[in-house]
Amino acid sequence: MDFSTTKTQAALIDRARQAAEAFDPALTPAGRGFWPAAGAEGWLGLCLDRDHGGQGLGAVDTVLVAEALGRGGLSRAALFSMGAHLFGCAMALQNHAGPALRAAWLPRLASGAAIGALALTEPQGGSDTGNGRVLAAFDADGPGLTLTGTKTLVSNGPLADLLVVNATRQGATSALQSSVLAVPTDLPGLRVTPLTSHIGLREAPMAEIHFDNVRLDRDHVLGRPGQGLGILLSVMRWERSCILAGFLGAAERDLVAVTRALSGRQNSRGRLIAQQAVAHALAELRVEQEMARLLLYRGAGALEADEGAVIYPAMAKLAISRALVSSARGLQELMAGAGWLDEMGLATALTDVMGTLSASGTSHIQLNAIASGLER
Ligand SMILES: Cc1cc2nc3c(=O)[nH]c(=O)nc-3n(C[C@H](O)[C@H](O)[C@H](O)COP(=O)(O)OP(=O)(O)OC[C@H]3O[C@@H](n4cnc5c(N)ncnc54)[C@H](O)[C@@H]3O)c2cc1C
């Protein structure tokens, strides 16, 4: 087991950090201009194949780069939106779509000419993915299917050009009869309602998506009809393993900033950082971040080794989201009044990271996945 980074990885990390530091903060994923700029940096295609315009990185290098982007100051909204685009949509196509669909969409997704999203959650509940009410009615003899129903809380939804959608076969008697579809958003009958009341990640746009008898060709089914559950698990393995990597980098950046701020602040007994209560609180957060980082690398390593297990992504997602919330809460408390005034973005960070407890499946759902592997 080797925990050191290679020279090539160190160069990738340095380059990503510098590019994030230089990136125009006025560009946010809520605006279309962000996407080609992020695409030009290579960020939208980190783990996509080179022949589809990607960087061809493995999962471990991908999370190292994402972490470096967070460390370099890219906003959490940008990190999250790019993650939903790359891991939730583009990787689903790369791993499960046919050659024509891949050739049509992956170069555009890698360059930012097209924006991707993953639409799983439904208004009656996102955790119960086997009980979806978005229905795919396959033609008995015809070339396609008709899609009806509503998805909600879809990150990138207001701007997305392509959605990866799970749908239950109309008339299905078992939750195992779902399909995963690639749905272009310009099809007749598809309607997008932006959601604007979310408390954090304000610049990561979200939407509800309505399918009102949307017609889709059969070649837009990922894998084969009825293989939806397996494909969904594979998509979730990528998303849960990788989407929060950048947030860990951002948390490290905040920890460094708070350490510096408290080093420079004095009370009548001397520097605040020299007082054990403060130093221990920072040390505890450092350890929590590092533990989460190890599970991030373990999850990414399992993806590279093509281990099918769901437990490493679930453990990574659970541990990272908890460490992010603990870290954001702890840093905000340590900075006290300055934290409250959001002078260092710590209050914003706290609301941003709260969403990580639910996105890609709640903590209960991650624990279910981990528990299901205990007896094996
Ligand atoms: C920042 C953010 C981004 C998101 N982006 C997307 C996106 O891009 N695409 C998308 O499809 N969705 C997205 N979501 C939605 C997210 O996936 C859902 O919020 C999540 O899956 C939970 O679904 P729900 O909110 O409907 O809660 P519910 O499923 O209704 O759950 C409510 C509560 O019951 C618990 N619960 C439910 N079932 C079980 C069970 N079997 N065992 C134990 N506890 C259970 C849950 O843990 C939760 O505490 C996003 C959410 C957030 C916060």
Side-chain angles (χ1 to χ4, degrees):
M1 203 167 293
D2 184 0
F3 289 99
S4 57
T5 46
T6 64
K7 271 192 183 158
T8 314
Q9 287 172 329
L12 272 174
I13 291 168
D14 276 354
R15 214 166 38 242
R17 184 183 174 132
Q18 284 165 19
E21 284 169 356
F23 195 74
D24 180 356
L27 291 175
T28 81
R32 256 201 121 84
F34 167 87
W35 294 91
E41 298 287 355
W43 300 337
L44 302 181
L46 292 174
C47 44
L48 295 182
D49 294 340
R50 284 179 182 277
D51 49 2
H52 286 123
Q55 303 293 305
L57 300 181
V60 172
D61 288 354
T62 296
V63 299
L64 289 174
V65 170
E67 250 193 300
L69 296 179
R71 224 180 275 125
L74 213 62
S75 75
R76 288 174 176 84
L79 294 163
F80 191 84
S81 287
M82 291 197 300
H85 168 96
L86 175 59
F87 306 119
C89 180
M91 285 306 287
L93 255 66
Q94 172 155 300
N95 291 332
H96 304 287
L101 210 54
R102 286 207 302 269
W105 283 98
L106 287 178
R108 298 180 61 212
L109 290 167
S111 71
I115 301 170
L118 175 65
L120 303 183
T121 305
E122 300 185 13
Q124 76 278 4
S127 303
D128 204 3
T129 41
N131 189 29
R133 295 183 199 162
V134 166
L135 298 180
F138 283 84
D139 302 340
D141 302 311
L145 60 102
T146 302
L147 200 59
T148 52
T150 299
K151 296 286 183 182
T152 192
L153 290 161
V154 179
S155 297
N156 301 339
L159 299 176
D161 302 289
L162 187 71
L163 306 170
V164 167
V165 178
N166 69 318
T168 306
R169 180 189 272 270
Q170 189 161 49
T173 50
S174 148
L176 298 177
Q177 288 175 283
S178 68
S179 300
V180 176
L181 315 166
V183 184
T185 55
D186 59 357
L187 296 176
L190 191 149
R191 193 162 45 83
V192 177
T193 309
L195 300 172
T196 54
S197 64
H198 44 107
I199 57 165
L201 297 172
R202 298 281 306 153
E203 288 163 337
M206 271 193 149
E208 194 156 79
I209 313 275
H210 312 274
F211 306 98
D212 185 9
N213 293 313
V214 173
R215 288 289 304 161
L216 195 67
D217 286 343
R218 212 174 250 261
D219 60 5
H220 281 63
V221 177
L222 303 193
R224 284 198 304 279
Q227 287 185 331
L229 194 61
I231 292 175
L232 216 54
L233 286 175
S234 151
V235 175
M236 294 320 288
R237 274 202 297 277
W238 271 91
E239 195 176 88
R240 288 175 181 166
S241 300
C242 302
I243 197 167
L244 299 182
F247 282 55
L248 262 185
E252 185 185 328
R253 181 184 171 90
D254 285 346
L255 179 62
V256 170
V258 168
T259 304
R260 287 211 181 107
L262 293 173
S263 300
R265 203 167 165 93
Q266 305 256 349
N267 68 5
S268 56
R269 290 162 55 206
R271 290 188 319 134
L272 290 181
I273 195 85
Q275 295 171 35
Q276 198 178 59
V278 170
H280 279 193
L282 287 168
E284 295 276 8
L285 296 181
R286 174 80 178 81
V287 174
E288 278 183 54
Q289 289 186 12
E290 195 64 22
M291 290 194 301
R293 184 169 290 116
L294 292 175
L295 278 170
L296 170 71
Y297 299 159
R298 180 67 183 90
L303 279 178
E304 275 188 15
D306 205 16
E307 294 172 21
V310 292
I311 59 164
Y312 295 114
M315 287 198 287
K317 201 271 160 171
L318 181 76
I320 298 170
S321 57
R322 286 182 170 173
L324 292 172
V325 172
S326 169
S327 184
R329 202 203 73 82
L331 295 176
Q332 149 85 32
E333 186 176 11
L334 278 167
M335 286 311 296
W340 179 245
L341 295 177
D342 210 17
E343 285 172 8
M344 297 161 70
L346 297 171
T348 302
L350 187 52
T351 50
D352 283 351
V353 299
M354 287 305 292
T356 69
L357 295 173
S358 322
S360 261
T362 66
S363 299
H364 301 128
I365 295 305
Q366 309 309 326
L367 287 166
N368 286 351
I370 297 160
S372 72
L374 285 178
E375 285 186 303
R376 262 177 243 140

